[in-house]
């Protein structure tokens, strides 16, 4: 079993006027290739901060992050990674299609492949009809869909999605779950976080729960739930007890 | 290379779709036409006045674009988080900065070209005669604008737009006061003189790009003068871009 993501002793401290405070604390975690991993935790637990460190937007205070056995902050690794941020925002004066083609150039895709993938991904996320519409006219859910399409543009082997279900309508969520399952079938690794635990339970092979920067639990979902409770019940029991 | 072009193209496209650019440009074109009226008021002097005001107008309008668009170049992307999707792609952060620079440079090239066309048309209507110096002065103006883009870009990589605009303006004012600063230094004590000498060598001397007097009094440019000005600008811009890149490399989001 190959490891797609390996995080070891990861810590992040932010220093401000009041001194330093630790947002992620000694986090150790690994995700096997081909798995769907759910990264859970209450608001402010440190999920976004962890993802930002993985994709190189923030720098760890301590610890290491490896993707497919290589340090995560190199260009070669970034070429194999897809990322969608929390509340994604894109250039408002570009159309969806222009934005996808722009992203494709950053991925160094050839023009033919860029156009092909743009068309098929926009179609997949249900934005074909809005391809020539400027992004500033997009609704929240449309932005979210574009963010997802953009994350898959480079045909990444591993994808990090920060709250991908946020702002999607019920049909959108069903679509999204279907797309995640399709990606899993292609052998891709998916790491995402969400507060919609019923969806997480449906999708994930494994989960990790982070609370106040510390990993409180991680492992295969079946082992964690033991078939006795729903993920939501479990989450409330585990995190609620720590409050 | 492809990524630099993509970022530059994107920056250019965003700026030319921004209404603010058109407002500023429209104001600039009005200014060009106003030079005709102002020129005719001053009777004999009208050609000189038109040249003076026209060249100054082209510069000021583009400088306003730098102060409004240029000082936003990086900070707006950070504020809006659009930088997330760019920097997580397999590119270097320097690519982002260089692309931003050339993107705004392209926008300013277009606005300068539009205003210059109107300016030249006004001169032709007024039978003012077009000396090559006019074109040289337009080129120098554009080089100075590139210089100011690099300054605005550097500030934009670590401060908010208003602050970057003020700093860029300060650089501009100091850059055009080098002669008076040097003169002031000559009369001062050794410490002040030393500081000023160091300052004038370190800070950009924007007077090098100002050949408006040469244009108005028809004093020809020399080859070395042109060459040195270009080399000076290119070196300085490169240094500013390296500084901006290093600032961005340390940034977290
Ligand atoms: N740049 C920063 N400077 C200081 N503190 C920060 C910074 N970014 C995040 N934090 C703090 O880190 C903590 C974790 O934030 P983070 O965004 O990672 O939470 P999260 O788990 O993603 O929460 P949510 O579910 O609400 O998105 C919060 O207390 C937040 O205030
Ligand atoms: Mg978050």
């Amino acid at each position: 079993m190959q490891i797609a993501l390996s995080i070891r002793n990861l810590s992040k401290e932010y220093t401000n006027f009041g001194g330093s405070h630790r947002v992620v604390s000694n986090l150790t975690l690994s995700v096997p290739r081909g798995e769907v991993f759910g990264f859970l935790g209450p608001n402010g637990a440190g999920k976004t901060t962890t993802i930002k460190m993985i994709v190189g937007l923030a720098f760890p205070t301590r610890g290491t992050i490896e993707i497919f056995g290589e340090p995560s902050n190199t260009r070669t690794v970034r070429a194999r990674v897809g990322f969608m941020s929390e509340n994604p925002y894109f250039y408002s004066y570009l159309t969806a299609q222009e934005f996808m083609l722009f992203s494709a150039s950053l991925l160094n895709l050839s023009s033919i492949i860029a156009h092909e993938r743009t068309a098929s991904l926009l179609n997949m996320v249900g934005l074909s009809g809005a391809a020539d519409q400027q992004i500033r006219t997009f609704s929240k859910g449309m932005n979210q869909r574009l963010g997802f399409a953009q994350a898959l543009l480079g045909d990444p082997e591993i994808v990090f999605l920060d709250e991908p279900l946020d702002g999607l309508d019920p049909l959108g969520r069903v679509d999204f779950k279907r797309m995640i399952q399709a990606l899993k079938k292609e052998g891709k690794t998916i790491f995402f976080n969400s507060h919609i635990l019923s969806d997480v339970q449906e999708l994930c092979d494994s989960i990790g729960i982070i609370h106040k920067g510390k990993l409180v639990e991680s492992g295969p979902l079946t082992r964690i739930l033991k078939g006795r409770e729903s993920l939501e019940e479990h989450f409330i029991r585990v995190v609620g007890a720590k409050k | 290379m492809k990524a630099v072009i993509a970022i530059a193209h994107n920056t250019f496209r965003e700026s030319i779709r921004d209404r603010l650019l058109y407002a500023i440009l429209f104001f600039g074109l009005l200014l060009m036409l106003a030079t005709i009226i102002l020129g005719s008021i001053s009777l004999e002097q009208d050609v000189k006045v038109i040249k003076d005001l026209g060249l100054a107008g082209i510069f000021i309008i583009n400088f306003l674009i730098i102060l409004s668009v240029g000082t936003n170049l990086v900070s707006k992307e950070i504020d809006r988080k659009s930088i997330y999707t760019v920097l997580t792609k397999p590119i270097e952060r320097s690519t982002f900065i260089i692309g931003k620079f050339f993107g705004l440079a392209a926008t300013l090239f277009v606005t300068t070209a539009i205003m210059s066309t109107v300016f030249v048309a006004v001169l032709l209507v007024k039978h003012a005669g077009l000396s090559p110096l006019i074109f040289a002065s337009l080129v120098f103006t554009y080089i100075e604008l590139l210089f100011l883009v690099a300054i605005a870009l550097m500030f934009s990589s670590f401060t908010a737009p208003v602050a970057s605009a003020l700093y860029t303006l300060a650089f501009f004012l100091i850059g055009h006061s080098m002669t008076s600063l040097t003169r002031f230094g000559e009369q001062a004590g050794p410490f002040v003189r030393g500081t000023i000498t160091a300052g004038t060598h370190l800070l950009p001397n924007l007077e090098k790009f100002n050949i408006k007097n040469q244009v108005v009094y028809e004093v020809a440019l020399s080859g070395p003068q042109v060459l040195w000005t270009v080399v000076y600008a290119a070196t300085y811009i490169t240094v500013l871009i390296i500084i901006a890149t290093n600032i961005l490399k340390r940034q977290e989001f």
Side-chain angles (χ1 to χ4, degrees), chain B residues 18 175 230 238:
Chain B
D18 195 336
V230 171
T238 309

Side-chain angles (χ1 to χ4, degrees), chain A residues 12 52 56-59 75 78 83 85 89-94 98 102 105-109 150, chain B residues 2 6 10 13-14 17 77 80 82 84-93 249 251-253:
Chain A
K12 178 68 189 174
K52 280 184 178 174
L57 290 173
F59 311 132
R75 262 169 74 180
R78 265 183 276 150
F83 166 62
S85 72
Y89 177 91
F90 310 111
Y91 302 94
S92 43
Y93 288 98
L94 297 191
E98 284 170 340
F102 165 66
S105 323
L106 299 180
L107 288 158
N108 205 17
L109 301 182
Q150 167 277 139
Chain B
K2 193 169 179 175
N10 193 30
R13 200 161 43 178
E14 275 250 307
R17 287 181 189 175
E77 297 232 3
R80 299 197 174 163
S82 51
Y84 289 11
T85 33
V86 178
L87 296 186
T88 52
K89 295 286 186 299
I91 62 159
E92 298 296 337
R93 291 192 177 185
K249 274 190 181 152
Q251 290 250 27
E252 295 187 85
F253 307 99

Side-chain angles (χ1 to χ4, degrees), chain A residues 12-16 21-24 39-52 86 162-163 193 195 210 213, chain B residues 252-253:
Chain A
K12 178 68 189 174
E13 283 163 19
Y14 281 111
T15 23
N16 46 23
H21 73 141
R22 194 174 283 187
V23 170
V24 174
F39 194 42
L40 314 179
N43 292 131
K47 303 180 296 295
T48 297
T49 308
T50 303
I51 293 186
K52 280 184 178 174
E86 176 177 52
D162 196 350
E163 314 243 3
N193 69 42
H195 294 298
I210 181 177
Chain B
E252 295 187 85
F253 307 99

